[in-house]
Amino acid sequence: MQIKPSEVKPRDFYRVLISAIAPRPIAWVSTLSKEGIANLAPFSFFNALCGTPPLLGFCPGIRAREIREALGSPLKDTLQNIRETGEFVVAVVTNDLVERMNITAGDYEASLDEFALAGVTPRASQVVRPSQVAESPVNFECKVYQLVDFGTETSGGSLVIGEIVAANISDTVMVDGKIEGNLLELVGRMGGNQYSRTTDRFELARPPLVVPQK
Ligand SMILES: Cc1cc2nc3c(=O)[nH]c(=O)nc-3n(C[C@H](O)[C@H](O)[C@H](O)COP(=O)(O)O)c2cc1C
């Protein structure tokens, strides 16, 4: 079967995308409005983009019509805040945090503080103004490196590329000065409301360098 994006409803192709490109890591993004109201929301169109400079990226989409009509703005609060302040923090999501992460995915008025709503503890950052999620073992403080807008004003999205200016890592996941991945218990998002745990791990050695014969 072949599905052409141009021949199906956007929502249906979105389902193809998020089912087939999985599991996706989840960025739990903390921002502050220009008035200083805290916001926290998850984004799974997310990944590490570059080691040097250290970049990560995530994509807030334009709000669905009924939500933008109800809340009075096409932009998700996260993107609005980042446009206004240029700063954000990405916390990673572990098994014990998924329910609280999910609470912060609701479509709430900008005046609502999702830290309080979800019962997670804001911890002051060192370099940027938005708070970290104290319960998460890794929080990346970021400044905007580049914003790329795509689509239209009613159906597009934006790629937020952030430069990591500080990584805050809990001692509980550090062994000999390095992150021990087996201690992290990260979750990934699959299609729909399905998630995956990263408990079944294995190693695979890379092919050795084969030097071309001259
Ligand atoms: C696990 C998960 C991943 C999500 N990923 C995205 C995403 O990549 N892009 C997006 O626009 N919304 C995504 N959402 C929905 C947003 O979290 C939701 O629209 C939220 O209300 C945005 O909050 P804000 O308006 O405070 O920024 C995701 C939701 C969940 C539960």
Side-chain angles (χ1 to χ4, degrees):
M1 180 179 192
Q2 184 184 66
I3 304 175
K4 294 202 172 83
S6 56
E7 292 172 0
V8 294
K9 289 188 189 138
R11 189 80 207 159
D12 291 339
F13 201 78
Y14 168 75
R15 286 202 190 95
V16 172
L17 264 186
I18 69 164
S19 300
I21 303 179
R24 294 179 306 288
I26 302 170
W28 208 3
V29 182
S30 159
T31 53
L32 271 186
S33 70
K34 62 178 187 307
E35 293 83 18
I37 300 164
N39 195 86
L40 186 62
F43 295 87
S44 68
F45 283 3
F46 162 59
N47 224 309
L49 301 183
C50 186
T52 314
L55 302 178
L56 54 74
F58 71 97
C59 293
I62 293 290
R63 282 178 168 149
R65 185 163 54 83
E66 65 278 14
I67 299 168
R68 57 176 188 266
E69 283 173 6
L71 298 180
S73 166
L75 295 190
K76 298 198 176 185
D77 295 332
T78 301
L79 182 60
Q80 180 71 36
N81 292 349
I82 288 173
R83 284 197 188 289
E84 288 173 358
T85 66
E87 297 185 335
F88 60 99
V89 175
V90 171
V92 301
V93 177
T94 50
N95 279 339
D96 54 330
L97 292 172
V98 276
E99 274 91 10
R100 282 174 277 180
M101 173 280 294
N102 197 38
I103 291 172
T104 67
D107 294 294
Y108 308 113
E109 283 182 60
S111 58
L112 194 134
D113 175 349
E114 284 103 346
F115 277 89
L117 184 76
V120 289
T121 316
R123 182 178 61 208
S125 292
Q126 305 301 307
V127 185
V128 299
R129 288 182 63 232
S131 297
Q132 301 166 30
V133 174
E135 288 83 357
S136 171
V138 182
N139 282 267
F140 294 107
E141 298 180 42
C142 300
K143 292 193 176 179
V144 168
Y145 182 86
Q146 197 176 343
L147 290 176
V148 183
D149 299 321
F150 30 79
T152 68
E153 277 182 19
T154 52
S155 69
S158 299
L159 168 61
V160 178
I161 302 177
E163 177 157 7
I164 300 166
V165 291
N168 303 276
I169 307 162
S170 165
D171 290 343
T172 59
V173 298
M174 298 288 283
V175 174
D176 297 334
K178 293 185 187 141
I179 292 187
E180 171 49 66
N182 290 318
L183 296 173
L184 269 178
E185 305 297 353
L186 297 173
V187 290
R189 185 179 176 200
M190 311 295 289
N193 287 335
Q194 195 178 48
Y195 293 85
S196 58
R197 296 193 176 87
T198 49
T199 43
D200 182 10
R201 303 177 175 112
F202 59 93
E203 299 213 1
L204 192 60
R206 293 274 188 95
L209 171 66
V210 179
V211 180
Q213 301 288 322
K214 288 191 182 150

